[in-house]
């Protein structure tokens, strides 16, 4: 009689595994709404993006981030960052900064903005749970997470614009 072995995945590895599908859900909301939103606000936002261009750019960013998650999952560095540093920079850093950016857009436009629903339902809880775990495990400090958040806020827009630029070149 065969017995199934239970595989226990550490919470750290589970948090890494959650990134690709949760990021996908967030960007699906954006993909479905961004083109129309930009068209409706063309007098304020000086550029346009097609759904196809945004989708392509998202896929580029998703592939890079997911490769980093895989590398961290197997215990290897990614772009010079140790696994715990990568997770701390990616989730409570860049991802939370992205969610806060959506909240700031909501306040500015005073109406629905692409990505706000999944920011509230997915990005904030996931980012705070990840931050809480990393702090509880002594992997990072509050100060270090704050630095990652600020850096995430600074680099998220250039990363997005680079991905969108590549999408426009390719498409």
């Amino acid at each position: 009689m065969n017995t199934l072995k239970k595989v226990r995945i550490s919470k750290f590895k589970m948090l890494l595994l959650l990134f690709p599908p949760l990021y996908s859900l967030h960007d699906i909301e954006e993909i479905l709404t961004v083109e129309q939103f930009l068209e409706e606000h063309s007098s304020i936002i000086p550029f346009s993006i097609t759904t196809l261009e945004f989708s392509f750019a998202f896929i580029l960013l998703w592939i890079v981030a997911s490769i980093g998650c895989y590398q961290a999952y197997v215990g290897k560095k990614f772009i010079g960052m140790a696994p715990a540093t990568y997770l701390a920079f990616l989730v409570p850093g860049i991802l939370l900064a992205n969610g806060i950016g959506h909240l700031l857009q909501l306040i500015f436009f005073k109406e629905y903005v692409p990505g706000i629903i999944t920011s509230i339902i997915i990005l904030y809880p996931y980012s705070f749970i990840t931050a809480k775990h990393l702090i509880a495990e002594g992997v990072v400090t509050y100060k270090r997470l704050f630095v990652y958040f600020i850096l995430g806020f600074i680099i998220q827009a250039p990363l997005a614009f680079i991905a969108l630029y590549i999408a426009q070149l390719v498409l």
Side-chain angles (χ1 to χ4, degrees):
M1 181 178 201
N2 290 337
T3 59
L4 296 174
K5 291 183 179 181
K6 290 186 179 181
V7 177
R8 187 176 175 333
I9 298 175
S10 72
K11 188 168 184 178
F12 176 80
K13 287 187 174 186
M14 183 61 69
L15 291 167
L16 283 166
L17 289 175
L18 283 172
F19 180 84
L22 295 180
Y23 182 44
S24 294
L25 290 172
H26 173 66
D27 270 7
I28 288 169
E29 177 191 3
E30 291 180 307
I31 287 166
L32 295 174
T33 58
V34 72
E35 185 173 4
Q36 181 180 345
F37 180 82
L38 291 174
E39 286 174 7
E40 291 172 1
H41 297 88
S42 61
S43 62
I44 299 171
I45 303 171
F47 59 88
S48 65
I49 300 165
T50 67
T51 300
L52 182 60
E53 290 167 343
F54 189 88
S55 300
F56 189 87
F58 156 71
I59 290 167
L60 288 176
L61 293 172
W62 185 87
I63 289 170
V64 171
S66 295
I67 289 170
C69 287
Y70 173 77
Q71 290 291 102
Y73 185 88
V74 297
K76 295 183 179 177
K77 286 184 173 186
F78 183 69
I79 56 174
M81 289 186 258
T85 303
Y86 179 74
L87 181 62
F89 183 62
L90 182 67
V91 179
I94 294 173
L95 199 64
L96 181 59
N98 179 262
I100 298 297
H102 290 296
L103 180 60
L104 294 173
Q105 292 168 9
L106 175 71
I107 292 167
F108 177 80
F109 286 104
K110 296 178 178 70
E111 64 178 292
Y112 171 83
V113 294
I116 189 62
I117 294 170
T118 51
S119 289
I120 293 167
I121 295 171
I122 295 172
L123 300 190
Y124 298 157
Y126 174 51
S127 295
F128 290 125
I129 288 167
T130 301
K132 182 180 176 186
H133 173 72
L134 293 170
I135 289 168
E137 293 295 314
V139 176
V140 294
T141 62
Y142 287 104
K143 182 179 178 181
R144 173 81 40 130
L145 282 179
F146 181 72
V147 168
Y148 290 155
F149 173 76
I150 297 301
L151 288 173
F153 217 88
I154 292 168
I155 71 163
Q156 70 168 327
L159 288 175
F161 284 123
I162 289 168
L164 288 168
Y165 180 72
I166 292 169
Q168 289 176 336
L169 288 176
V170 171
L171 302 174

